Amino acid sequence: MALSHRDQLTLLMDILYDHQTDCCGSVSECEQLERLVKSLLVNPAVANDMKQTLTDVYSYSQAGKYAQHLDDHIEAHQNKLEEWVDQLNTYF
């Protein structure tokens, strides 16, 4: 069964929130973020004004996937993580 765009958004926010609160993560979480964002960006049910935030999250996840020290990358983006979670939360 495929996840609805709301389920995908919830999962996306959960991972971002975990990165924000734990200040750590994994490459597989970054890859999951990429897959979720790609799917959401092509979904017509997703609001256009959400797409810039999703694009920013995609860039964050790509950079994190290739970061030599992922936890440092996550820590450097704490303000953005909080901002993204807050922005995405407004769509519920």
Side-chain angles (χ1 to χ4, degrees):
M1 181 172 108
L3 294 175
S4 72
H5 77 282
R6 292 179 83 62
D7 293 333
Q8 290 174 328
L9 263 179
T10 300
L11 181 54
L12 179 80
M13 288 186 345
D14 285 347
I15 295 170
L16 292 173
Y17 182 76
D18 286 348
H19 282 200
Q20 178 193 353
T21 57
D22 299 341
C23 289
C24 65
S26 67
V27 170
S28 62
E29 287 173 333
C30 291
E31 293 169 340
Q32 181 67 33
L33 286 171
E34 284 183 335
R35 288 189 297 273
L36 289 165
V37 169
K38 280 183 186 178
S39 178
L40 288 165
L41 284 172
V42 298
N43 188 324
V46 174
N48 281 333
D49 58 342
M50 185 191 310
K51 293 189 178 188
Q52 182 58 55
T53 300
L54 292 172
T55 302
D56 293 343
V57 170
Y58 185 81
S59 296
Y60 161 80
S61 62
Q62 274 207 312
K65 186 169 76 170
Y66 297 112
Q68 190 167 13
H69 302 286
L70 178 55
D71 293 348
D72 292 342
H73 171 74
I74 292 170
E75 200 168 314
H77 287 83
Q78 285 301 296
N79 290 339
K80 279 297 189 184
L81 288 164
E82 182 178 2
E83 181 183 316
W84 295 330
V85 170
D86 289 346
Q87 287 173 345
L88 294 171
N89 204 27
T90 64
Y91 294 102
F92 282 96

